[in-house]
Amino acid sequence: MRLNGEIEEDEEEEKVAESLNSQTYSTGIGFPQLQSQNLLVGYALTSKKKKSFLQPKLIGLARNKGIFFVAIDLNRPLSDQGPFDVVLHKLSGKDWCNIIEDYRQKHPEVTVLDPPDAIEHLHNRQSMLQDVADLNLSDCHGKVGVPRQLVISKDPSSIPHEVNKAGLKLPLGGILFKVYIVGEIIKVVRRFSLPNFSKHELEKVAGVFPFPRVSSASASADDADLEPSVAEHPPRLLLEKLARELRPRLGLRLFNMDIIREHGTRDVFYVIDINYFPGYGKMPDYEHIFTDFLLSFAGSKML
């Protein structure tokens, strides 16, 4: 059975897979005899995610630490594979969600990153951001909220009228902070985002002004010459408390938040998006961070 979310590899990805296959293992006949202290991580990822995340440097470092990544065969029952210590997944589709949830119930000794129902919660932007809105982050060296939202279900031509009627304003800043969460670890990188608009510029815009995307994944702003008031990261204590409060609410250990600073302020921020299992390959030193994170699930096995 082929599940939704599985993507066939093209020629370029097959070349990457060849280099990975020399360092990862597949289950089934010929599965290598690994020592009991090794940590087996079963992974079910799209080809795109596997290519970006399972880089040779990560694979090699993990192997040196006794961590082995095992490709999950989507055409075989999951319980017949392994045995795994950790299952790492990012596939979509109801079939896969049912499989992984059934596996969690039957194998509570295996750490599944992360539960399907928690991931599903992020698919609705309103419910996702409500978890942030419900927080009380007082005395945290700053303020974190969510921008006001409006769902338009009518004709798109009604958008300008509905937006004006609701009194919505754009809480923009030219820099977006991508806050990566890996368990207890927090890393922040800057990305160029939507530009600021003056009141005069906004008055010249009639109707809806389209943007291709909120942030540019390839446009790093970490080394850009920016004004300190724009470039300064959100306070560390604020981010730590935000992450600490959100982890149990979201039920996730692998996620990132997209945060912008309100224009003209230093300590007022908005969370505009939360993503499960984001592009960690763009996070500095992600290989060491992620392998140490996986080792935290080893417990007495690795002693």
Side-chain angles (χ1 to χ4, degrees), residues 9-207:
E9 294 178 337
D10 56 23
E11 293 182 0
E12 180 181 0
E13 290 176 327
E14 287 176 356
K15 294 179 182 179
V16 176
E18 288 178 2
S19 67
L20 295 179
N21 287 338
S22 65
Q23 304 174 72
T24 59
Y25 299 95
S26 298
T27 55
I29 298 176
F31 184 65
Q33 296 296 318
L34 300 177
Q35 298 181 9
S36 60
Q37 67 268 27
N38 289 321
L39 189 75
L40 268 63
V41 180
Y43 68 87
L45 308 173
T46 63
S47 295
K48 181 179 179 181
K49 174 59 71 172
K50 182 172 71 172
K51 179 181 177 182
S52 64
F53 177 72
L54 287 177
Q55 295 290 320
K57 184 177 179 181
L58 171 65
I59 299 294
L61 180 64
R63 181 176 56 184
N64 291 338
K65 293 184 177 182
I67 303 171
F68 293 86
F69 290 95
V70 179
I72 291 174
D73 186 347
L74 299 181
N75 296 307
R76 296 175 52 209
L78 185 54
S79 292
D80 292 348
Q81 303 179 57
F84 302 122
D85 300 294
V86 177
V87 169
L88 188 65
H89 71 102
K90 191 171 185 181
L91 294 179
S92 61
K94 184 177 180 180
D95 288 340
W96 173 252
C97 288
N98 290 337
I99 289 173
I100 199 67
E101 185 57 39
D102 179 68
Y103 182 81
R104 288 181 67 231
Q105 297 298 325
K106 293 179 179 178
H107 297 275
E109 76 282 1
V110 179
T111 299
V112 175
L113 300 171
D114 274 309
D117 56 341
I119 299 171
E120 183 70 23
H121 184 65
L122 297 186
H123 294 167
N124 184 299
R125 187 176 299 275
Q126 286 185 299
S127 63
M128 168 217 305
L129 295 183
Q130 188 60 46
D131 287 314
V132 179
D134 290 341
L135 297 178
N136 179 20
L137 298 179
S138 58
D139 300 326
C140 291
H141 304 278
K143 178 181 179 182
V144 177
V146 298
R148 294 176 60 192
Q149 303 177 73
L150 179 66
V151 177
I152 303 294
S153 58
K154 304 176 183 177
D155 186 345
S157 62
S158 67
I159 292 178
H161 172 72
E162 295 296 333
V163 168
N164 290 331
K165 180 180 177 182
L168 294 182
K169 297 180 181 179
L170 298 175
L172 303 181
I175 297 297
L176 180 143
F177 300 97
K178 299 192 78 69
V179 182
Y180 292 97
I181 310 294
V182 182
E184 301 295 320
I185 302 299
I186 301 173
K187 287 288 184 179
V188 184
V189 299
R190 290 190 295 258
R191 291 284 183 268
F192 285 110
S193 184
L194 303 179
N196 291 319
F197 284 88
S198 67
K199 183 177 181 180
H200 177 68
E201 289 173 316
L202 290 175
E203 290 175 348
K204 294 188 297 183
V205 177

